[in-house]
Amino acid sequence: MKQNQKILVVDDEQDLLEILKFNLETEGYEVQTATSAEEAQTLDIASFDLLLLDVMMGGMSGFALARLLKDDPQTARVPIIFLTARDTENDTVTGFNLGADDYISKPFSLREVMVRVRAVLRRTATENGEEEAHFITYQGIVMNLDKKTVAIDGEEIAFTKTEFELLHLLLDERGRVFSRQELIDRVWPKDVLVLDRTVDVNITRLRKKIGRFAKCIVTRLGFGYYFDA
């Protein structure tokens, strides 16, 4: 299992949330919970590897949330397992028609949930492996590594080769601080003389081009730069 795979569990039963969170974390997953579809929408759902989603909740239903997620290119590829007391044939068909990867009826055994979670994550990782290798995304930033394009909130922005490679590196290793020399070594050609000031100028240009995400490129005084996700 890939380390620190992220799972979001959405259910209005607090006790069930705590039980699932504890057992999934015991299996090595990183788990976040939400008690409603509305609360889940405040999170960066695209950053999760799997969504465990209750169907019948107060307010927006799990089916309605799933429909919104599958209609959004940023979240369409997040696999969904429905957890629900509704186990009629029509409900099951509805769930799968919405793009669900599995459907587990309550009451269920925790062992069954863990087995199905592993199966879905393994299957979707295999199916998406090639595609994931060609795109890097973070919220509204989408980098197409084949076409060398960058879209910010759906709008394609022109990047120089250096700006593209800088963003690629910072996004690909989010949270890691890179010194100016490390950036020079990994982004610029070996036969080009690059000064620290050149790095700073390109970082400034990069921040301007990524708009509302500019604040994510953080300066760590005395150390360098990193992308704060």
Side-chain angles (χ1 to χ4, degrees), residues 208-226:
K208 289 180 180 179
K209 289 191 175 182
I210 61 176
R212 66 186 178 95
F213 298 102
K215 64 181 183 297
C216 293
I217 299 180
V218 179
T219 303
R220 182 69 72 197
L221 292 177
F223 294 96
Y225 299 99
Y226 71 99

Side-chain angles (χ1 to χ4, degrees), residues 4-220:
N4 299 320
Q5 285 176 301
K6 294 177 62 179
I7 298 176
L8 173 61
V9 186
V10 185
D11 198 301
D12 58 1
E13 298 181 46
Q14 186 64 45
D15 289 345
L16 181 58
L17 281 182
E18 293 176 1
I19 292 171
L20 287 172
K21 179 178 172 65
F22 174 81
N23 283 273
L24 288 166
E25 287 180 339
T26 299
E27 290 287 313
Y29 301 107
E30 181 179 339
V31 183
Q32 194 163 347
T33 63
T35 56
S36 68
E38 290 81 0
E39 182 183 353
Q41 287 180 289
T42 68
L43 305 174
D44 180 16
I45 295 180
S47 70
F48 289 92
D49 297 293
L50 176 65
L51 176 59
L52 297 184
L53 181 59
D54 187 24
V55 171
M56 296 299 293
M57 296 180 286
M60 180 184 292
S61 71
F63 283 162
L65 176 59
R67 187 174 292 109
L68 289 175
L69 297 178
K70 293 302 180 183
D71 286 342
D72 184 343
Q74 295 295 317
T75 54
R77 292 168 52 236
V78 178
I80 297 174
I81 297 178
F82 282 116
L83 303 175
T84 179
R86 299 177 60 168
D87 59 356
T88 68
E89 181 178 347
N90 285 340
D91 290 332
T92 304
V93 170
T94 297
F96 283 117
N97 283 341
L98 287 171
D101 293 84
D102 207 341
Y103 196 108
I104 305 175
S105 299
K106 298 177 181 178
F108 47 72
S109 72
L110 289 170
R111 182 178 180 183
E112 177 188 11
V113 173
M114 300 306 139
V115 168
R116 295 202 183 191
V117 164
R118 285 195 295 271
V120 169
L121 285 171
R122 183 167 55 248
R123 182 173 67 249
T124 54
T126 300
E127 292 172 352
N128 296 332
E130 181 177 351
E131 183 176 359
E132 288 176 351
H134 295 283
F135 287 87
I136 294 181
T137 64
Y138 173 74
Q139 296 184 11
I141 302 176
V142 179
M143 300 191 73
N144 186 319
L145 303 184
D146 286 335
K147 296 182 178 180
K148 307 301 181 185
T149 59
V150 180
I152 307 296
D153 293 328
E155 179 183 357
E156 190 168 309
I157 306 295
F159 276 66
T160 67
K161 181 179 185 298
T162 298
E163 292 163 351
F164 184 91
E165 294 299 336
L166 275 173
L167 183 59
H168 181 187
L169 179 59
L170 292 170
L171 270 181
D172 197 36
E173 301 188 39
R174 294 193 284 272
R176 177 185 169 186
V177 178
F178 289 92
S179 69
R180 289 174 177 83
Q181 189 58 53
E182 284 180 301
L183 293 175
I184 291 170
D185 291 342
R186 295 184 61 173
V187 172
W188 275 267
K190 302 300 182 185
D191 58 349
V192 175
L193 177 61
V194 181
L195 304 177
D196 287 355
R197 176 60 181 162
T198 304
V199 177
D200 298 338
V201 169
N202 278 271
I203 290 290
T204 298
R205 290 174 179 167
L206 182 56
R207 283 174 171 148
K208 289 180 180 179
K209 289 191 175 182
I210 61 176
R212 66 186 178 95
F213 298 102
K215 64 181 183 297
C216 293
I217 299 180
V218 179
T219 303
R220 182 69 72 197

